[in-house]
Amino acid sequence: MTAVDPTLRATRTTCPYCGVGCGVLATPDSGGGAAIAGDPEHPANFGRLCSKGSALGETLGLGDRLLYPMIRCSKGTMERVAWTDALDHVAHRFAHIAKRDGPDAVAFYLSGQLLTEDYYVANKLMKGFIGSANVDTNSRLCMASSVAGHRRAFGADTVPGCYQDLDEADLLVLIGSNAAWCHPVLFQRMLANKQKRGARIVVIDPRRTDTAGDADLFLGLRPGTDTALFSGLLVHLADTGALDHDYIASHTSGFEAARARARSIAGSVGATALATGLAEPDVADFFQMFRNTPRVVTLYSQGVNQSAQGTDKVNAIINCHLATGRIGKPGASPFSLTGQPNAMGGREVGGLANQLAAHMGFSPPDIDRVRRFWKAPRIATHEGQKAVQMFEAIARGEIKALWVIGTNPAVSLPDADAARASLKKLELFVISENVRSNDTVNAGAHVLLPAQAWGEKSGTVTNSERRISRQRAFLDPPGESKPDWWIVSEVAKRLGFGAAFDFGSAADVFREHAALSAFENEGSRDFDIGALKSLSDEAFEAMAPVQWPTRSGDAEPQQRFFAAGGFFANDHKARFVAPEVPALRTETTAGRPLRLNTGRIRDQWHTMTRTGISPRLGQHLPEPFVEVHPDDALRFAVADGDFARVVTDYGQCILRVVVSERQQRGMLFAPIHWSEANASAARVGALVAPFTDPFSGQPENKATPVSIAPYEYVFRGFALSRAQLELPPHAWWTRVAVTGGYGYLFADNADLAGWQSWLRSVAGSDLAEYKDLGGGVYRAASFAGEHIETCLFVGPARDAGDWDVVKSLFAADALGDDQRRMLLSGKSIDGLASAGPIVCACFGVGRTTILAAIAAGAGSPAEIGVQLKAGTNCGSCIPELKRLIAQTNVVGAAADSGQRQFARVAT
Ligand code: SF4
């Protein structure tokens, strides 16, 4: 494998989104973009990409990029400055505050999007040279409970298995993981195993997600009861003679205490059913499947991790694998799916406040070892503030200087309004970013430093299976943007630590990182990439994906850990952990009678600063929504397609209602992606309780008590424009990327005359207009040459016009006379129905088109694929195609029996 595919002249790099870590071939075009394809040689994806990865080429524009360093001047505005001035200022202010108030008065908040080299340098500066461990990361919100669970059980943060296990397992148990949407390429790999080898799939989740569509068994357990389910499983395994006594005796300790605790939590199938809200036969089925299948992989993700009991949940799962010796063997392991592209790299360097570096902690020998390796003058000797606590310390005025690198905590932290408000208290608030504006930048940053983005920067990332891959630059960095490792190193030099931060390239940083991993290691630590510590620059450039450990002198690569013990505690044994009796931290009340679950959607990533600029990705689910069970919709008088106010003790949002049987009674689901930058009232982080797990510090994002009530709007509408618009402050709105510009979907209660004057203020008075003020309809457009410059459609309820039709006219370079005449009708010129909301992002195939194909006889995704191509590229939409087929069949059957009114087709 070479850095460049000679047949395509494409650069080999790695997708910047999820923890699957797919290899990408990027071929730059002449316009600053790139053609994107999956890398057939990358062992994570073998050429496949999901909808997000496939659309990377649409996300390379410079529209909102931060191109120059900026400092807030005395007038309060941000002014462009030279790099040297910005760096001098940051170093001077950090030094001043650390000297005056001590090193714990400063903090870094990093990101799982950073490259390992960026992470390494920031961690080294704070922990080794400034002398505080106040370095935490948005990975705390993603998989910290897995880290804590691994460390408690294995003595190290080790992922024992690898992706090949997903091909070789006979049973795949997905718990708290909507892999079909969040790890799509891996999910397709699991489905391939099911198809080829007959592997069975069990999905455990309070919500019936698309992942459950292919499950042999779906367990829709009550929120927070995962520990009870796996405690019941441990008891069942013990009571039915399924334990691996040799493995337990030779390689573990603490089994009896764990078994006794499990028995007290869920001592039988019946008790487990009672504790989890599941049907007894379903629990019995699952227990039997697990018991009788030696090759079982249990995959867990945010549904397990994002919990105030997340670490116990992880350990309850691991207990079952240890008790059966099903760990680190082909097709048998517990497996944490990481959410972010480089959460694993961050863990490797110690980018969490409770780690020191290179999988070493704060024990005296580790502190001494790292101190000597770094020649660190004032190494941190105790853990720092974890994410949620870090922002609470800022609010209390204890942390006075913060450097945020590559993340958007004002959106993503729990109790996000409080977190955002805390930022106002900072004496020094520095942000390294790609974009000029986001909620965190707008919260009052004092210094903005332009960082290189994906496609421009160069270094390494590590995926969920411990595989280190290169991200390579294939675009020229715009403006004065710099690599994050360079920016941090320059500040370190100005703080007087030049000798320790004299890095000339990402390769220099990587070599030092690799050397530290091997320093006085000799098998005592899991993370060892000593074989890479002397890579030449050329070898680093050409480096093929490599799984760790990769030690100097290893004869064979090591794919897995722990099949024959060899844990990283002093006695080399794993620990069974007796989990606490599971109980959610908060009760529902009369005022907050439901629980709010939050998560991701298929085609967006985090706070949309990248995916949000792709028109293709904006088509699937363009509006922020809340999913409600039909019974709860009835109970709280909210209707599908209408709006609802969703309120917790921390904040409120107004969201479109999606009524769906997929949602459990008593629970709501809302996606996390929208921010104040792209929606008026959909910053879901503001709703989430800030309770955290006592071991991992990970917040409870899945079960905040919540209420829901209908929210009425008289008018609905949409606007399309070549430039970004500022909608009137009274409107509910959301922005979505469309071909040729920006789309806004909105709702409002103000009168139409107000919208008319607003449009004139943004588009001028030279408008083609259609008014029926009595009927509540106003439509207007301005033109530049032959294309639409700005248009506005407002109407009563759902009669504003056809968004999809007008979008396609807006995308046209030149409108014909007929099209121009028909535009304000808001209907297709040829009278055809629009394709509807896009289901297949790769080929732009809409729901209406797919439903028509199903109605005409297409009975499988393959048949739809033949007719429409939908689902034939990345496969991300296949679960949705199956759902549409199933639902259409239900509708058809219901219609046949005269009960059509009871059958719903959920979005
Ligand atoms: S599954 Fe999709 S988002 Fe994740 S790394 Fe692969 S292409 Fe990127």
Side-chain angles (χ1 to χ4, degrees), residues 15 17-22 48-50 52-54 182-186:
C15 175
Y17 298 126
C18 84
V20 177
C22 295
R48 264 190 185 277
L49 294 176
C50 76
K52 293 184 285 286
S54 302
C182 302
H183 299 91
V185 166
L186 275 193

Side-chain angles (χ1 to χ4, degrees), residues 543-620:
M543 191 171 100
V546 56
Q547 213 170 8
W548 66 257
T550 171
R551 308 177 188 93
S552 302
D554 272 356
E556 294 284 327
Q558 179 182 339
Q559 245 187 321
R560 301 178 176 90
F561 282 88
F562 310 141
F567 293 91
F568 292 95
N570 287 340
D571 60 2
H572 305 300
K573 290 190 170 185
R575 299 277 178 274
F576 281 93
V577 176
E580 293 300 319
V581 176
L584 287 169
R585 282 279 292 273
T586 48
E587 295 294 333
T588 54
T589 61
R592 304 273 182 263
L594 306 170
R595 286 196 187 275
L596 177 68
N597 178 9
T598 66
R600 298 177 180 177
I601 60 173
R602 193 191 75 189
D603 287 355
Q604 295 296 344
W605 177 255
H606 280 198
T607 62
M608 293 195 202
T609 47
R610 178 176 288 279
T611 50
I613 55 181
S614 159
R616 196 177 351 159
L617 297 180
Q619 296 182 80
H620 182 228

Side-chain angles (χ1 to χ4, degrees), residues 828-892:
S828 160
I829 187 170
D830 46 17
L832 296 176
S834 82
I838 295 299
V839 173
C840 171
C842 296
F843 295 112
V845 187
R847 190 162 167 270
T848 310
T849 311
I850 291 166
L851 288 174
I854 296 169
S860 68
E863 286 171 18
I864 293 173
V866 169
Q867 284 188 32
L868 307 172
K869 290 178 83 177
T872 58
N873 183 38
C874 77
S876 301
C877 65
I878 289 175
E880 198 161 338
L881 298 180
K882 287 182 181 167
R883 184 149 49 85
L884 290 174
I885 292 165
Q887 288 169 340
T888 307
N889 291 339
V890 171
V891 170

